[in-house]
Amino acid sequence: MLRPWPGLRRSVLFAIIVAGLAVAAGLSGTPPPPAAAQERVAAEITAPPPDSTLTSGSIRLSWSAGSGVDEYWLDIGTSQASNDIFSASQGLNRVLHLRGLPTDGSPVWARVWSRFGEEWEFRDAAYTVRIPTAEQSQAEITSPEPGSTLTSGTVTFTWSAGSGANGYLLRVGTSPGGDEIFSASQSLSLAASVGGLPTTGGPVFVRLFTFFGAR
């Protein structure tokens, strides 16, 4: 008949005592704090600036990353909440190139969805697409170069004349479409000096309007 190992009983008893002490120590300690929930911030379309007029049937849409987002989905349609032009998951991409937008001046709506686990949130942006006639072309900012870093709180912005324009309006702000820094008609001037720009490294957004015909 097999006999148990002489030290087995002592070993088992010792293990039970040690385990009991470990459990007791764990119960008497301070429990760890709960993990902080990750902040949820839905993505927003950043370019082209919402409510702007596009001059081409092609568009390059980009949107912010948000926070805690697992997936983006983009719907584009001719009315709010519609997707008769485009509808597809973008994974974690944040840029979309799309052609075939209506160019008759009708509105175009873009909706970017952000998925958090099983839940979705969305943000909308509206545009108008209008292609200028052969005799008309929009002015474009030429200096400073878009996307460049400014080294002064005062900057002179210059722009091209375009074609057929009878006036310009310049707006400068700290967010797309913003005008809290500067907003003024420029008549037919092709330059404007703007002061009071932030010098803390934040973005500055400049929007130039071109007017055609009677105003």
Side-chain angles (χ1 to χ4, degrees):
M1 180 176 65
L2 296 174
R3 298 180 63 185
W5 179 45
L8 178 62
R9 183 183 303 171
R10 290 192 297 273
S11 299
V12 172
L13 179 59
F14 178 74
I16 291 174
I17 292 173
V18 172
L21 290 174
V23 172
L27 292 176
S28 63
T30 302
Q38 185 177 15
E39 183 181 12
R40 288 176 30 166
V41 179
E44 296 185 1
I45 293 174
T46 55
D51 301 319
S52 60
T53 298
L54 310 179
T55 58
S56 170
S58 300
I59 189 173
R60 181 186 185 275
L61 278 173
S62 60
W63 50 93
S64 62
S67 179
V69 180
D70 297 315
E71 178 189 4
Y72 306 107
W73 186 289
L74 202 66
D75 286 336
I76 300 178
T78 54
S79 61
Q80 191 170 17
S82 68
N83 59 4
D84 49 318
I85 297 176
F86 180 86
S87 181
S89 170
Q90 302 302 301
L92 290 176
N93 294 325
R94 292 167 47 204
V95 175
L96 172 71
H97 295 266
L98 186 66
R99 298 179 179 179
L101 301 181
T103 58
D104 58 357
S106 59
V108 173
W109 287 85
R111 171 170 292 185
V112 57
W113 293 85
S114 302
R115 180 172 66 83
F116 305 94
E118 300 298 322
E119 300 181 6
W120 292 86
E121 295 183 18
F122 67 86
R123 298 289 187 271
D124 285 344
Y127 303 95
T128 300
V129 184
R130 182 176 293 110
I131 297 180
T133 64
E135 295 77 23
Q136 296 178 345
S137 62
Q138 283 188 301
E140 295 184 359
I141 294 175
T142 55
S143 178
E145 183 179 355
S148 61
T149 299
L150 307 180
T151 59
S152 171
T154 300
V155 172
T156 297
F157 293 96
T158 62
W159 51 91
S160 63
S163 179
N166 71 345
Y168 310 99
L169 171 67
L170 189 70
R171 289 180 177 173
V172 182
T174 56
S175 61
D179 62 358
E180 68 273 22
I181 296 176
F182 183 86
S183 179
S185 171
Q186 301 303 306
S187 185
L188 289 175
S189 174
L190 299 180
S193 180
V194 178
L197 303 180
T199 57
T200 56
V204 173
F205 294 85
V206 181
R207 179 176 291 184
L208 178 67
F209 293 85
T210 306
F211 296 106
F212 302 99
R215 289 191 288 157

